[in-house]
Amino acid sequence: MWWLLALPALAQDPETEPAPTSDEPAVSTDPDEAEEIEAEEVDAEMIVYGRLAIDRASDAIIKKMEGLGYEARQKGDRIVFRPPLGWMGAAIFEDGIMSFRRSVMGASPPDDSVNTQLIRTIDPEVSGTTGYGLRFWVLPSMKKVEPVRAALLEAIGPELSRYNAVVARTALQERLADLPDRLDAVWNSGTPLVGTATLSTPADRRHHVLDYWASRGSTPEGRLTARAVSDWLEAVVQASAHPITEDERKEYERRRGDGLTLP
């Protein structure tokens, strides 16, 4: 039952950052410099994406679960974790979510390492037998099981968060890779990014792209997308016979309100 004792400890003892050493550079207190460093760190973090990064994040989840006593069985993108004790039910990881399969009853060979007394502290109604012959277990109430599963989710939380962040970054980078072609279609043939109505004039097409730029969120992902649109505007629209007007620049930069500017 070591795994059961380890869950609360893992949940309550998060990893801490190592203390800075004297060899580490001092952190700047200049607001402008700090903002520039933060932006660089965000962009650098976004580079970690792709199938290999997703596989590594998935492997980290498997390693953590195995360290907690679970046995992993992978079926495509779906991973089923066999629990240390059958009455807990299997844990299932799929689409970035860890869920649980509720088990009803079963039997397993005797295991001298099982602490029956500890099981009964979780659910006094569970009757586990040790020694020769089979050890039987029945379904404990969800009221008793939920704290154990909650502790497991808290322990595996950092790995789950990392996995979902890598998946989100991968999806973002794929969208950014496709974005120039989609913007070219807007500019050259009037095909909108959203909807089906054809954009007839250069002004309509320019406003459509500017509206897309202004409506991207001020999150790191939104700002990266806005920068990608801005780069495209500079390379295509500003070099055309129909560049952004001064009134348009003022209006759409005001709509963003987060300091990003148009080319």
Side-chain angles (χ1 to χ4, degrees):
M1 293 296 293
W2 61 266
W3 60 271
L4 187 57
L5 296 173
L7 286 178
L10 287 169
Q12 297 171 11
D13 186 23
E15 296 180 1
T16 56
E17 293 293 332
T21 65
S22 57
D23 296 332
E24 293 179 345
V27 177
S28 172
T29 58
D30 183 272
D32 295 333
E33 184 177 348
E35 183 176 352
E36 182 179 350
I37 292 174
E38 181 180 356
E40 290 176 354
E41 290 175 348
V42 168
D43 289 347
E45 182 69 9
M46 295 300 295
I47 294 173
V48 183
Y49 70 97
R51 185 68 251 180
L52 179 59
I54 292 174
D55 288 344
R56 286 176 175 173
S58 178
D59 289 343
I61 292 174
I62 293 174
K63 182 178 179 181
K64 185 65 169 284
M65 291 291 286
E66 289 178 340
L68 296 173
Y70 285 76
E71 179 184 342
R73 296 180 180 179
Q74 190 157 1
K75 301 176 181 179
D77 292 332
R78 186 171 187 258
I79 307 174
V80 178
F81 294 97
R82 183 178 178 182
L85 294 176
W87 57 262
M88 293 180 61
I92 302 170
F93 179 67
E94 188 173 18
D95 295 331
I97 299 173
M98 188 73 75
S99 60
F100 295 94
R101 177 189 300 157
R102 196 174 185 190
S103 185
V104 179
M105 63 180 299
S108 57
D111 183 352
D112 293 337
S113 68
V114 174
N115 187 331
T116 305
Q117 186 61 36
L118 186 56
I119 296 177
R120 289 172 179 165
T121 64
I122 301 172
D123 189 345
E125 299 176 1
V126 173
S127 57
T129 60
T130 58
Y132 297 102
L134 295 176
R135 177 170 53 85
F136 296 92
W137 45 264
V138 295
L139 176 69
S141 66
M142 289 303 295
K143 181 179 179 180
K144 305 297 182 180
V145 175
E146 282 300 331
V148 178
R149 294 180 176 177
L152 171 63
L153 290 175
E154 188 169 354
I156 199 70
E159 287 74 17
L160 291 176
S161 296
R162 176 65 182 172
Y163 177 90
N164 284 303
V166 172
V167 170
R169 292 187 191 110
T170 300
L172 173 63
Q173 294 293 345
E174 290 173 350
R175 290 196 300 271
L176 291 179
D178 292 339
L179 187 55
D181 289 341
R182 296 174 62 206
L183 293 172
D184 285 344
V186 173
W187 192 245
N188 296 327
S189 60
T191 303
L193 295 169
V194 179
T196 58
T198 301
L199 304 167
S200 302
T201 69
D204 290 339
R205 298 169 186 181
R206 192 170 60 245
H207 292 165
H208 182 77
V209 175
L210 289 171
D211 183 73
Y212 184 78
W213 175 84
S215 61
R216 298 310 91 191
S218 293
T219 62
E221 294 81 3
R223 289 172 67 88
L224 280 174
T225 303
R227 290 191 186 105
V229 176
S230 182
D231 291 343
W232 178 88
L233 286 166
E234 183 173 14
V236 177
V237 175
Q238 294 304 88
S240 74
H242 307 282
I244 300 168
T245 68
E246 191 60 30
D247 287 342
E248 289 170 344
R249 185 183 307 278
K250 292 179 180 179
E251 176 187 351
Y252 288 99
E253 287 180 353
R254 177 185 56 78
R255 285 177 53 183
R256 277 211 63 90
D258 61 358
L260 290 186
T261 59
L262 290 164

PDB file of all heavy atoms in Angstrom, residues 99-130:
ATOM      1  N   SER A  99      -9.744  10.008 -16.582  1.00  0.00           N
ATOM      2  CA  SER A  99     -11.026   9.609 -16.010  1.00  0.00           C
ATOM      3  C   SER A  99     -10.863   8.248 -15.348  1.00  0.00           C
ATOM      4  O   SER A  99      -9.807   7.619 -15.434  1.00  0.00           O
ATOM      5  CB  SER A  99     -12.107   9.558 -17.095  1.00  0.00           C
ATOM      6  OG  SER A  99     -11.766   8.619 -18.103  1.00  0.00           O
ATOM      7  N   PHE A 100     -11.928   7.802 -14.705  1.00  0.00           N
ATOM      8  CA  PHE A 100     -11.840   6.548 -13.954  1.00  0.00           C
ATOM      9  C   PHE A 100     -12.989   5.627 -14.334  1.00  0.00           C
ATOM     10  O   PHE A 100     -14.119   6.063 -14.529  1.00  0.00           O
ATOM     11  CB  PHE A 100     -11.882   6.805 -12.450  1.00  0.00           C
ATOM     12  CG  PHE A 100     -10.700   7.580 -11.953  1.00  0.00           C
ATOM     13  CD1 PHE A 100     -10.762   8.960 -11.840  1.00  0.00           C
ATOM     14  CD2 PHE A 100      -9.522   6.938 -11.616  1.00  0.00           C
ATOM     15  CE1 PHE A 100      -9.677   9.683 -11.395  1.00  0.00           C
ATOM     16  CE2 PHE A 100      -8.428   7.655 -11.171  1.00  0.00           C
ATOM     17  CZ  PHE A 100      -8.501   9.031 -11.058  1.00  0.00           C
ATOM     18  N   ARG A 101     -12.674   4.363 -14.424  1.00  0.00           N
ATOM     19  CA  ARG A 101     -13.678   3.332 -14.662  1.00  0.00           C
ATOM     20  C   ARG A 101     -14.021   2.701 -13.318  1.00  0.00           C
ATOM     21  O   ARG A 101     -13.138   2.221 -12.611  1.00  0.00           O
ATOM     22  CB  ARG A 101     -13.137   2.273 -15.623  1.00  0.00           C
ATOM     23  CG  ARG A 101     -14.100   1.118 -15.878  1.00  0.00           C
ATOM     24  CD  ARG A 101     -13.398   0.020 -16.665  1.00  0.00           C
ATOM     25  NE  ARG A 101     -12.924   0.501 -17.957  1.00  0.00           N
ATOM     26  CZ  ARG A 101     -11.945  -0.059 -18.647  1.00  0.00           C
ATOM     27  NH1 ARG A 101     -11.302  -1.107 -18.146  1.00  0.00           N
ATOM     28  NH2 ARG A 101     -11.573   0.426 -19.813  1.00  0.00           N
ATOM     29  N   ARG A 102     -15.287   2.693 -12.981  1.00  0.00           N
ATOM     30  CA  ARG A 102     -15.692   2.157 -11.690  1.00  0.00           C
ATOM     31  C   ARG A 102     -15.804   0.637 -11.753  1.00  0.00           C
ATOM     32  O   ARG A 102     -16.484   0.090 -12.603  1.00  0.00           O
ATOM     33  CB  ARG A 102     -17.026   2.759 -11.257  1.00  0.00           C
ATOM     34  CG  ARG A 102     -17.312   2.537  -9.782  1.00  0.00           C
ATOM     35  CD  ARG A 102     -18.557   3.257  -9.341  1.00  0.00           C
ATOM     36  NE  ARG A 102     -18.748   3.139  -7.909  1.00  0.00           N
ATOM     37  CZ  ARG A 102     -19.846   3.513  -7.288  1.00  0.00           C
ATOM     38  NH1 ARG A 102     -20.842   4.024  -7.980  1.00  0.00           N
ATOM     39  NH2 ARG A 102     -19.945   3.380  -5.986  1.00  0.00           N
ATOM     40  N   SER A 103     -15.125   0.006 -10.843  1.00  0.00           N
ATOM     41  CA  SER A 103     -15.141  -1.452 -10.795  1.00  0.00           C
ATOM     42  C   SER A 103     -16.176  -1.920  -9.778  1.00  0.00           C
ATOM     43  O   SER A 103     -16.425  -1.257  -8.768  1.00  0.00           O
ATOM     44  CB  SER A 103     -13.755  -1.980 -10.420  1.00  0.00           C
ATOM     45  OG  SER A 103     -13.721  -3.373 -10.489  1.00  0.00           O
ATOM     46  N   VAL A 104     -16.794  -3.060 -10.039  1.00  0.00           N
ATOM     47  CA  VAL A 104     -17.869  -3.550  -9.174  1.00  0.00           C
ATOM     48  C   VAL A 104     -17.330  -4.526  -8.134  1.00  0.00           C
ATOM     49  O   VAL A 104     -17.441  -4.320  -6.947  1.00  0.00           O
ATOM     50  CB  VAL A 104     -18.979  -4.202 -10.023  1.00  0.00           C
ATOM     51  CG1 VAL A 104     -20.076  -4.732  -9.126  1.00  0.00           C
ATOM     52  CG2 VAL A 104     -19.541  -3.180 -11.008  1.00  0.00           C
ATOM     53  N   MET A 105     -16.736  -5.605  -8.575  1.00  0.00           N
ATOM     54  CA  MET A 105     -16.195  -6.586  -7.644  1.00  0.00           C
ATOM     55  C   MET A 105     -15.189  -7.453  -8.390  1.00  0.00           C
ATOM     56  O   MET A 105     -15.118  -7.441  -9.611  1.00  0.00           O
ATOM     57  CB  MET A 105     -17.294  -7.458  -7.036  1.00  0.00           C
ATOM     58  CG  MET A 105     -18.054  -8.311  -8.045  1.00  0.00           C
ATOM     59  SD  MET A 105     -19.324  -9.314  -7.254  1.00  0.00           S
ATOM     60  CE  MET A 105     -18.325 -10.318  -6.158  1.00  0.00           C
ATOM     61  N   GLY A 106     -14.384  -8.196  -7.639  1.00  0.00           N
ATOM     62  CA  GLY A 106     -13.412  -9.056  -8.283  1.00  0.00           C
ATOM     63  C   GLY A 106     -12.594  -9.811  -7.262  1.00  0.00           C
ATOM     64  O   GLY A 106     -12.855  -9.764  -6.065  1.00  0.00           O
ATOM     65  N   ALA A 107     -11.582 -10.508  -7.751  1.00  0.00           N
ATOM     66  CA  ALA A 107     -10.719 -11.292  -6.878  1.00  0.00           C
ATOM     67  C   ALA A 107      -9.319 -11.289  -7.458  1.00  0.00           C
ATOM     68  O   ALA A 107      -9.124 -11.151  -8.654  1.00  0.00           O
ATOM     69  CB  ALA A 107     -11.245 -12.725  -6.769  1.00  0.00           C
ATOM     70  N   SER A 108      -8.340 -11.405  -6.593  1.00  0.00           N
ATOM     71  CA  SER A 108      -6.957 -11.453  -7.030  1.00  0.00           C
ATOM     72  C   SER A 108      -6.175 -12.355  -6.091  1.00  0.00           C
ATOM     73  O   SER A 108      -6.611 -12.632  -4.971  1.00  0.00           O
ATOM     74  CB  SER A 108      -6.357 -10.041  -7.053  1.00  0.00           C
ATOM     75  OG  SER A 108      -6.458  -9.451  -5.785  1.00  0.00           O
ATOM     76  N   PRO A 109      -4.988 -12.829  -6.516  1.00  0.00           N
ATOM     77  CA  PRO A 109      -4.193 -13.693  -5.647  1.00  0.00           C
ATOM     78  C   PRO A 109      -3.801 -12.968  -4.376  1.00  0.00           C
ATOM     79  O   PRO A 109      -3.786 -11.739  -4.329  1.00  0.00           O
ATOM     80  CB  PRO A 109      -2.960 -14.004  -6.509  1.00  0.00           C
ATOM     81  CG  PRO A 109      -3.402 -13.741  -7.907  1.00  0.00           C
ATOM     82  CD  PRO A 109      -4.390 -12.626  -7.828  1.00  0.00           C
ATOM     83  N   PRO A 110      -3.488 -13.704  -3.297  1.00  0.00           N
ATOM     84  CA  PRO A 110      -3.088 -13.052  -2.048  1.00  0.00           C
ATOM     85  C   PRO A 110      -1.809 -12.253  -2.229  1.00  0.00           C
ATOM     86  O   PRO A 110      -0.941 -12.610  -3.022  1.00  0.00           O
ATOM     87  CB  PRO A 110      -2.885 -14.229  -1.088  1.00  0.00           C
ATOM     88  CG  PRO A 110      -2.631 -15.406  -1.972  1.00  0.00           C
ATOM     89  CD  PRO A 110      -3.471 -15.162  -3.205  1.00  0.00           C
ATOM     90  N   ASP A 111      -1.719 -11.158  -1.510  1.00  0.00           N
ATOM     91  CA  ASP A 111      -0.550 -10.298  -1.596  1.00  0.00           C
ATOM     92  C   ASP A 111      -0.195  -9.874  -0.182  1.00  0.00           C
ATOM     93  O   ASP A 111      -0.920  -9.120   0.464  1.00  0.00           O
ATOM     94  CB  ASP A 111      -0.868  -9.074  -2.458  1.00  0.00           C
ATOM     95  CG  ASP A 111       0.354  -8.173  -2.644  1.00  0.00           C
ATOM     96  OD1 ASP A 111       1.380  -8.428  -1.986  1.00  0.00           O
ATOM     97  OD2 ASP A 111       0.250  -7.227  -3.428  1.00  0.00           O
ATOM     98  N   ASP A 112       0.921 -10.378   0.314  1.00  0.00           N
ATOM     99  CA  ASP A 112       1.297 -10.105   1.701  1.00  0.00           C
ATOM    100  C   ASP A 112       1.604  -8.635   1.945  1.00  0.00           C
ATOM    101  O   ASP A 112       1.643  -8.180   3.093  1.00  0.00           O
ATOM    102  CB  ASP A 112       2.523 -10.947   2.096  1.00  0.00           C
ATOM    103  CG  ASP A 112       2.185 -12.430   2.137  1.00  0.00           C
ATOM    104  OD1 ASP A 112       0.996 -12.757   2.300  1.00  0.00           O
ATOM    105  OD2 ASP A 112       3.117 -13.249   2.006  1.00  0.00           O
ATOM    106  N   SER A 113       1.855  -7.893   0.847  1.00  0.00           N
ATOM    107  CA  SER A 113       2.187  -6.481   1.022  1.00  0.00           C
ATOM    108  C   SER A 113       0.945  -5.630   1.243  1.00  0.00           C
ATOM    109  O   SER A 113       1.045  -4.461   1.594  1.00  0.00           O
ATOM    110  CB  SER A 113       2.936  -5.956  -0.204  1.00  0.00           C
ATOM    111  OG  SER A 113       2.078  -5.914  -1.335  1.00  0.00           O
ATOM    112  N   VAL A 114      -0.251  -6.200   1.013  1.00  0.00           N
ATOM    113  CA  VAL A 114      -1.481  -5.430   1.168  1.00  0.00           C
ATOM    114  C   VAL A 114      -1.785  -5.233   2.641  1.00  0.00           C
ATOM    115  O   VAL A 114      -1.850  -6.188   3.410  1.00  0.00           O
ATOM    116  CB  VAL A 114      -2.662  -6.133   0.468  1.00  0.00           C
ATOM    117  CG1 VAL A 114      -3.970  -5.395   0.775  1.00  0.00           C
ATOM    118  CG2 VAL A 114      -2.425  -6.175  -1.032  1.00  0.00           C
ATOM    119  N   ASN A 115      -1.962  -4.010   3.040  1.00  0.00           N
ATOM    120  CA  ASN A 115      -2.274  -3.674   4.419  1.00  0.00           C
ATOM    121  C   ASN A 115      -3.788  -3.593   4.554  1.00  0.00           C
ATOM    122  O   ASN A 115      -4.402  -2.583   4.248  1.00  0.00           O
ATOM    123  CB  ASN A 115      -1.626  -2.336   4.779  1.00  0.00           C
ATOM    124  CG  ASN A 115      -1.762  -2.012   6.256  1.00  0.00           C
ATOM    125  OD1 ASN A 115      -2.711  -2.430   6.907  1.00  0.00           O
ATOM    126  ND2 ASN A 115      -0.797  -1.253   6.781  1.00  0.00           N
ATOM    127  N   THR A 116      -4.403  -4.679   5.007  1.00  0.00           N
ATOM    128  CA  THR A 116      -5.858  -4.735   5.104  1.00  0.00           C
ATOM    129  C   THR A 116      -6.385  -3.658   6.036  1.00  0.00           C
ATOM    130  O   THR A 116      -7.424  -3.057   5.798  1.00  0.00           O
ATOM    131  CB  THR A 116      -6.304  -6.119   5.596  1.00  0.00           C
ATOM    132  OG1 THR A 116      -5.761  -7.108   4.731  1.00  0.00           O
ATOM    133  CG2 THR A 116      -7.829  -6.227   5.592  1.00  0.00           C
ATOM    134  N   GLN A 117      -5.676  -3.408   7.116  1.00  0.00           N
ATOM    135  CA  GLN A 117      -6.128  -2.410   8.068  1.00  0.00           C
ATOM    136  C   GLN A 117      -6.182  -1.029   7.421  1.00  0.00           C
ATOM    137  O   GLN A 117      -7.101  -0.248   7.668  1.00  0.00           O
ATOM    138  CB  GLN A 117      -5.187  -2.378   9.280  1.00  0.00           C
ATOM    139  CG  GLN A 117      -5.660  -1.456  10.408  1.00  0.00           C
ATOM    140  CD  GLN A 117      -7.007  -1.881  10.971  1.00  0.00           C
ATOM    141  OE1 GLN A 117      -7.297  -3.067  11.065  1.00  0.00           O
ATOM    142  NE2 GLN A 117      -7.836  -0.904  11.338  1.00  0.00           N
ATOM    143  N   LEU A 118      -5.193  -0.755   6.569  1.00  0.00           N
ATOM    144  CA  LEU A 118      -5.164   0.540   5.890  1.00  0.00           C
ATOM    145  C   LEU A 118      -6.315   0.660   4.901  1.00  0.00           C
ATOM    146  O   LEU A 118      -6.917   1.719   4.751  1.00  0.00           O
ATOM    147  CB  LEU A 118      -3.828   0.737   5.168  1.00  0.00           C
ATOM    148  CG  LEU A 118      -3.599   2.118   4.536  1.00  0.00           C
ATOM    149  CD1 LEU A 118      -3.758   3.216   5.578  1.00  0.00           C
ATOM    150  CD2 LEU A 118      -2.219   2.177   3.905  1.00  0.00           C
ATOM    151  N   ILE A 119      -6.642  -0.441   4.218  1.00  0.00           N
ATOM    152  CA  ILE A 119      -7.796  -0.424   3.309  1.00  0.00           C
ATOM    153  C   ILE A 119      -9.056  -0.059   4.083  1.00  0.00           C
ATOM    154  O   ILE A 119      -9.859   0.750   3.629  1.00  0.00           O
ATOM    155  CB  ILE A 119      -7.975  -1.796   2.628  1.00  0.00           C
ATOM    156  CG1 ILE A 119      -6.772  -2.116   1.742  1.00  0.00           C
ATOM    157  CG2 ILE A 119      -9.263  -1.814   1.804  1.00  0.00           C
ATOM    158  CD1 ILE A 119      -6.850  -3.473   1.092  1.00  0.00           C
ATOM    159  N   ARG A 120      -9.208  -0.632   5.274  1.00  0.00           N
ATOM    160  CA  ARG A 120     -10.433  -0.406   6.028  1.00  0.00           C
ATOM    161  C   ARG A 120     -10.522   1.006   6.586  1.00  0.00           C
ATOM    162  O   ARG A 120     -11.603   1.475   6.922  1.00  0.00           O
ATOM    163  CB  ARG A 120     -10.525  -1.431   7.157  1.00  0.00           C
ATOM    164  CG  ARG A 120     -10.827  -2.837   6.629  1.00  0.00           C
ATOM    165  CD  ARG A 120     -10.729  -3.886   7.703  1.00  0.00           C
ATOM    166  NE  ARG A 120     -11.050  -5.215   7.165  1.00  0.00           N
ATOM    167  CZ  ARG A 120     -10.787  -6.359   7.781  1.00  0.00           C
ATOM    168  NH1 ARG A 120     -10.177  -6.339   8.964  1.00  0.00           N
ATOM    169  NH2 ARG A 120     -11.105  -7.513   7.236  1.00  0.00           N
ATOM    170  N   THR A 121      -9.367   1.693   6.690  1.00  0.00           N
ATOM    171  CA  THR A 121      -9.449   3.097   7.101  1.00  0.00           C
ATOM    172  C   THR A 121     -10.050   3.947   6.003  1.00  0.00           C
ATOM    173  O   THR A 121     -10.590   5.017   6.275  1.00  0.00           O
ATOM    174  CB  THR A 121      -8.051   3.641   7.455  1.00  0.00           C
ATOM    175  OG1 THR A 121      -7.232   3.627   6.289  1.00  0.00           O
ATOM    176  CG2 THR A 121      -7.414   2.840   8.563  1.00  0.00           C
ATOM    177  N   ILE A 122      -9.946   3.478   4.745  1.00  0.00           N
ATOM    178  CA  ILE A 122     -10.564   4.182   3.623  1.00  0.00           C
ATOM    179  C   ILE A 122     -12.042   3.846   3.551  1.00  0.00           C
ATOM    180  O   ILE A 122     -12.895   4.726   3.396  1.00  0.00           O
ATOM    181  CB  ILE A 122      -9.882   3.776   2.298  1.00  0.00           C
ATOM    182  CG1 ILE A 122      -8.392   4.101   2.362  1.00  0.00           C
ATOM    183  CG2 ILE A 122     -10.524   4.504   1.115  1.00  0.00           C
ATOM    184  CD1 ILE A 122      -7.626   3.565   1.192  1.00  0.00           C
ATOM    185  N   ASP A 123     -12.345   2.567   3.666  1.00  0.00           N
ATOM    186  CA  ASP A 123     -13.740   2.130   3.644  1.00  0.00           C
ATOM    187  C   ASP A 123     -13.882   0.923   4.558  1.00  0.00           C
ATOM    188  O   ASP A 123     -13.496  -0.193   4.193  1.00  0.00           O
ATOM    189  CB  ASP A 123     -14.160   1.775   2.215  1.00  0.00           C
ATOM    190  CG  ASP A 123     -15.660   1.517   2.111  1.00  0.00           C
ATOM    191  OD1 ASP A 123     -16.306   1.332   3.162  1.00  0.00           O
ATOM    192  OD2 ASP A 123     -16.182   1.512   0.987  1.00  0.00           O
ATOM    193  N   PRO A 124     -14.435   1.123   5.744  1.00  0.00           N
ATOM    194  CA  PRO A 124     -14.572   0.004   6.696  1.00  0.00           C
ATOM    195  C   PRO A 124     -15.392  -1.155   6.155  1.00  0.00           C
ATOM    196  O   PRO A 124     -15.292  -2.277   6.647  1.00  0.00           O
ATOM    197  CB  PRO A 124     -15.268   0.658   7.897  1.00  0.00           C
ATOM    198  CG  PRO A 124     -14.963   2.117   7.774  1.00  0.00           C
ATOM    199  CD  PRO A 124     -14.924   2.378   6.287  1.00  0.00           C
ATOM    200  N   GLU A 125     -16.209  -0.887   5.122  1.00  0.00           N
ATOM    201  CA  GLU A 125     -17.067  -1.935   4.596  1.00  0.00           C
ATOM    202  C   GLU A 125     -16.328  -2.874   3.653  1.00  0.00           C
ATOM    203  O   GLU A 125     -16.833  -3.917   3.265  1.00  0.00           O
ATOM    204  CB  GLU A 125     -18.256  -1.313   3.863  1.00  0.00           C
ATOM    205  CG  GLU A 125     -19.134  -0.451   4.774  1.00  0.00           C
ATOM    206  CD  GLU A 125     -20.233   0.234   3.995  1.00  0.00           C
ATOM    207  OE1 GLU A 125     -20.297   0.014   2.770  1.00  0.00           O
ATOM    208  OE2 GLU A 125     -21.014   0.978   4.608  1.00  0.00           O
ATOM    209  N   VAL A 126     -15.114  -2.474   3.224  1.00  0.00           N
ATOM    210  CA  VAL A 126     -14.347  -3.332   2.325  1.00  0.00           C
ATOM    211  C   VAL A 126     -13.758  -4.475   3.125  1.00  0.00           C
ATOM    212  O   VAL A 126     -13.065  -4.273   4.124  1.00  0.00           O
ATOM    213  CB  VAL A 126     -13.221  -2.537   1.637  1.00  0.00           C
ATOM    214  CG1 VAL A 126     -12.326  -3.490   0.850  1.00  0.00           C
ATOM    215  CG2 VAL A 126     -13.812  -1.496   0.714  1.00  0.00           C
ATOM    216  N   SER A 127     -14.018  -5.692   2.672  1.00  0.00           N
ATOM    217  CA  SER A 127     -13.486  -6.869   3.366  1.00  0.00           C
ATOM    218  C   SER A 127     -12.400  -7.494   2.511  1.00  0.00           C
ATOM    219  O   SER A 127     -12.664  -8.133   1.506  1.00  0.00           O
ATOM    220  CB  SER A 127     -14.611  -7.883   3.617  1.00  0.00           C
ATOM    221  OG  SER A 127     -15.216  -8.232   2.395  1.00  0.00           O
ATOM    222  N   GLY A 128     -11.146  -7.281   2.889  1.00  0.00           N
ATOM    223  CA  GLY A 128     -10.030  -7.896   2.181  1.00  0.00           C
ATOM    224  C   GLY A 128      -9.484  -9.037   2.998  1.00  0.00           C
ATOM    225  O   GLY A 128      -9.336  -8.932   4.213  1.00  0.00           O
ATOM    226  N   THR A 129      -9.173 -10.158   2.384  1.00  0.00           N
ATOM    227  CA  THR A 129      -8.626 -11.311   3.111  1.00  0.00           C
ATOM    228  C   THR A 129      -7.238 -11.598   2.577  1.00  0.00           C
ATOM    229  O   THR A 129      -6.980 -11.489   1.379  1.00  0.00           O
ATOM    230  CB  THR A 129      -9.507 -12.552   2.906  1.00  0.00           C
ATOM    231  OG1 THR A 129      -9.564 -12.869   1.518  1.00  0.00           O
ATOM    232  CG2 THR A 129     -10.909 -12.306   3.427  1.00  0.00           C
ATOM    233  N   THR A 130      -6.324 -11.918   3.459  1.00  0.00           N
ATOM    234  CA  THR A 130      -4.964 -12.233   3.052  1.00  0.00           C
ATOM    235  C   THR A 130      -4.640 -13.658   3.470  1.00  0.00           C
ATOM    236  O   THR A 130      -5.355 -14.285   4.241  1.00  0.00           O
ATOM    237  CB  THR A 130      -3.965 -11.263   3.714  1.00  0.00           C
ATOM    238  OG1 THR A 130      -4.107 -11.367   5.134  1.00  0.00           O
ATOM    239  CG2 THR A 130      -4.233  -9.833   3.298  1.00  0.00           C
TER     240      THR A 130
END
